[in-house]
Amino acid sequence: MPLKVYNTATRSLDLFVPLEEGRAKVYACGPTIYDHAHIGNFRAFLFYDLVHRYLEWKGYEVRFVMNLTDVDDKTIKGAVAAGSSVGEFTRQFGDLFLADCATLGIVPVDRYPRATDYIGPMIDFIGRLIESGHAYQADDGAVYYSIASFERYGKLKGIDLDSLKVGARVSHDEYEKEDARDFALWKVASEEDEVASAAWDSPWGRGRPGWHLECSVMSVTELGDTLDMHLGGEDLVFPHHENEIAQSEAATGKPFSRNWLHVKHLQLEGRKMSKSLGNFITVRELLEEGFGPASIRHQLLGAHYRSELNFTREGLNASKSAVQRLVDFDDRVRALPTGQAATATDLQTISETALDAFAAAMDDDFNTSDALAALFMFVSRANAAFDAADVVLESDRNAVREVLGSMDRVLGLLEVARASRAVDDDLALWVDLKIQERADARARRDFAAADGIRDELSARNIVLEDGAGGTRWKVVD
RNA sequence: GGCGCCGUGGCCAAGUGGUAAGGCGGAGGACUGCAAAUCCUCUAUCCCCGGUUCGAAUCCGGGCGGCGCCUCCA
């Protein structure tokens, strides 16, 4: 089945056709590492991960690059305040970011380029733009990109160039939307830049690269002139991505990205999350509040990436229950007794149908809500089939296992839930002992003692389940 | 003020012309010593009004309501 994606550039659902068959080159705008990433950032990063996982799931040979912005107004400001260089200052936040990614089960990408490692290529890139008449050094010493030199400027956002003031200059990174003007490619080094070791020599004097330039150069350097997909948050459409297109296409003469996908910003407890409102929250804080990473993942995947998503504690609790249902199902499948005398089931059909529905949902512009529905429908039907049969065929059990595992390679819910529930051997031994004690108590019908033990375990997030084959236990969030 | 999006059960959320997915929660039942897990049953006519159509949550018009971007942000 073909994958269709909503392309911001065409404003339509387009068939995903990479430049080279079977290969997918993806570039995603990563975080500016001057602070902790918050839950809103992770809606985008988790979407990147979903794209990454699904393209691989479909068999593409994926080359995925996500930058970590380490040179811009904010990192320099932070470094100066901290009395360190941008390199030192951003390293800690880069590490914290990658740690959060790992917690949430975000699969590592192929490269995490940082601007400071690409100063040489950036200088070359600017040189090419000046030679071809797309950039100029101004009286203030900075090098600017000439918007008027690129006729397609404004195409991505769909803005009317005539209505824009062209010719004025913007030297700061903190961009101004709806006010397209020539933007800086190379900035004259300020005193702060020097203090933060964020200044380099160039043919145009001491300075540093402009933010928009960084992404163009890193993507082209790492992935070639034309990308198959470029991902980012909705706020980046203009001017950041518009500028990337202008720079890259002017420099290479080739189409920059075949598809542009943008994630909508989320709401937090019904409100926009922003620093001015003081209501942004980090992954770490949520974990401290006791929410599991799989619950966070589930809630963020619960709504389609282009639609509104209101991230709430209440929703997180609902997600926790949903994830537990999956884990319970996975446990059941793993421990399921199989045999030849089994009753015939239609588990093969249930499995195939579920996987088809799942793939169809994902192919439809990554419709995760629909994909989750396919997963949970599968869980219900398989559970019912298990209940109806005394024993199932091993091949049927395996079909279910494979489909569950297959879906989770994309969704990563079980994977993350398992990782956060790992138990050490000592604990397992202790629990087994307690279960034996309880079994003895039950055998002599001393239910008060039995319930006491169950409560003791429950206090440690260990839940018991008495079944036909004895008592099983599990760790819950 | 400009541009755009949205309004589906108690909550979250799919569904863009053919008679309402899924999750959470709730009620009842089966199972259990009691639970837990699981299963079964029940729990919405899609903000309002008008229009188009054989037929609309889905299209058009008008209201009302919420939100986003235009300012830092993914």
Side-chain angles (χ1 to χ4, degrees):
Chain A
M1 280 182 286
L3 169 63
K4 281 187 287 183
V5 301
Y6 182 83
N7 185 353
T8 305
T10 59
R11 281 162 200 72
S12 61
L13 218 51
D14 296 347
L15 224 51
F16 176 65
V17 182
L19 195 60
E20 284 178 65
E21 198 181 335
R23 302 191 61 187
K25 295 191 289 185
V26 186
Y27 184 87
C29 280
T32 299
I33 41 179
Y34 71 108
D35 199 351
H36 286 94
H38 54 64
I39 194 64
N41 299 125
F42 276 102
R43 179 184 197 185
F45 304 143
L46 219 46
F47 173 65
Y48 300 168
D49 184 53
L50 185 80
V51 171
H52 187 185
R53 284 167 176 262
Y54 191 60
L55 288 174
E56 294 200 328
W57 189 87
K58 282 189 79 73
Y60 286 102
E61 187 187 318
V62 182
R63 173 113 177 125
F64 202 110
V65 175
M66 174 166 72
N67 72 297
L68 303 180
T69 298
D70 63 353
V71 175
D72 84 324
D73 296 348
K74 293 187 290 289
T75 57
I76 290 167
K77 203 191 244 175
V80 169
S84 58
S85 67
V86 281
E88 286 169 42
F89 178 71
T90 58
R91 190 172 305 122
Q92 53 173 326
F93 292 113
D95 290 347
L96 287 168
F97 169 69
L98 293 176
D100 284 346
C101 284
T103 301
L104 291 179
I106 291 173
V107 174
V109 303
D110 298 294
R111 295 275 293 153
Y112 295 99
R114 297 174 198 226
T116 47
D117 295 327
Y118 293 77
I119 301 300
M122 288 182 197
I123 290 171
D124 293 344
F125 200 92
I126 295 171
R128 286 157 75 185
L129 288 174
I130 291 178
E131 277 169 33
S132 57
H134 290 286
Y136 59 92
Q137 184 166 29
D139 300 339
D140 62 6
V143 178
Y144 291 93
Y145 184 93
S146 168
I147 284 171
S149 77
F150 189 69
E151 59 178 328
R152 296 189 295 285
Y153 193 83
K155 190 180 65 173
L156 181 67
K157 175 74 173 177
I159 51 177
D160 179 11
L161 249 190
D162 296 338
S163 71
L164 299 170
K165 285 197 301 182
V166 176
R169 294 166 196 152
V170 182
S171 69
H172 50 83
D173 290 333
E174 294 174 2
Y175 53 77
E176 299 175 20
K177 295 163 194 177
E178 300 303 331
D179 190 11
R181 294 182 280 184
D182 287 358
F183 56 92
L185 299 170
W186 188 260
K187 306 171 169 200
V188 176
S190 68
E191 207 171 299
E192 276 201 327
D193 296 345
E194 294 289 359
V195 168
S197 301
W200 293 265
D201 288 320
S202 83
W204 315 285
R206 291 282 287 174
R208 64 174 172 99
W211 174 48
H212 306 301
L213 178 77
E214 297 174 6
C215 281
S216 279
V217 173
M218 292 188 284
S219 58
V220 167
T221 304
E222 290 299 327
L223 294 167
D225 294 345
T226 300
L227 314 172
D228 294 309
M229 256 191 218
H230 193 129
L231 314 176
E234 61 174 345
D235 59 307
L236 298 179
V237 178
F238 187 87
H240 186 56
H241 289 161
E242 194 75 60
N243 292 352
E244 281 188 44
I245 292 172
Q247 294 162 339
S248 301
E249 299 195 351
T252 68
K254 293 179 190 151
F256 180 43
S257 181
R258 297 166 69 82
N259 294 280
W260 289 88
L261 278 65
H262 293 98
V263 192
K264 195 173 178 73
H265 285 189
L266 61 64
Q267 307 272 301
L268 180 65
E269 302 291 354
R271 305 191 68 188
K272 170 194 175 171
M273 183 164 40
S274 72
K275 301 221 158 157
S276 55
L277 289 172
N279 66 339
F280 69 99
I281 187 161
T282 63
V283 170
R284 226 150 269 267
E285 287 167 336
L286 287 167
L287 297 178
E288 277 164 21
E289 286 181 30
F291 295 107
S295 302
I296 295 173
R297 203 177 162 94
H298 181 267
Q299 185 170 193
L300 290 176
L301 292 178
H304 183 82
Y305 76 95
R306 284 189 289 113
S307 68
E308 216 170 76
L309 186 154
N310 183 13
F311 193 89
T312 64
R313 263 83 168 183
E314 187 186 355
L316 225 31
N317 281 320
S319 288
K320 175 180 166 179
S321 300
V323 168
Q324 190 60 51
R325 179 168 164 81
L326 288 180
V327 172
D328 287 340
F329 178 68
D330 187 38
D331 281 343
R332 181 176 193 184
V333 175
R334 288 175 188 228
L336 202 66
T338 59
Q340 280 308 312
T343 316
T345 69
D346 49 1
L347 284 164
Q348 296 282 350
T349 309
I350 289 171
S351 302
E352 284 164 25
T353 304
L355 199 60
D356 286 348
F358 176 81
M362 291 300 295
D363 279 336
D364 183 19
D365 194 29
F366 307 100
N367 191 334
T368 45
S369 297
D370 226 4
L372 284 168
L375 169 60
F376 281 94
M377 187 91 91
F378 170 57
V379 170
S380 289
R381 288 185 177 160
N383 265 326
F386 293 158
D387 278 2
D390 301 326
V391 186
V392 302
L393 288 170
E394 192 174 347
S395 57
D396 283 354
R397 196 270 308 268
N398 290 344
V400 172
R401 271 193 83 153
E402 274 165 33
V403 165
L404 183 62
S406 180
M407 290 182 184
D408 203 58
R409 277 205 301 285
V410 177
L411 300 172
L413 295 171
L414 285 168
E415 175 190 317
V416 172
R418 292 283 176 214
S420 68
R421 279 157 224 246
V423 289
D424 60 73
D425 294 345
D426 287 348
L427 177 67
L429 225 66
W430 178 76
V431 174
D432 286 341
L433 219 68
K434 286 289 174 190
I435 287 176
Q436 188 53 52
E437 264 182 53
R438 176 167 169 274
D440 295 341
R442 291 178 75 206
R444 52 176 197 269
R445 302 193 67 79
D446 181 358
F447 296 121
D451 290 349
I453 292 169
R454 188 165 62 195
D455 291 343
E456 186 185 352
L457 290 167
S458 169
R460 295 200 180 199
N461 280 347
I462 289 162
V463 174
L464 301 185
E465 292 175 8
D466 298 325
T471 300
R472 305 191 317 115
W473 63 280
K474 67 187 181 191
V475 180
V476 297
D477 271 344

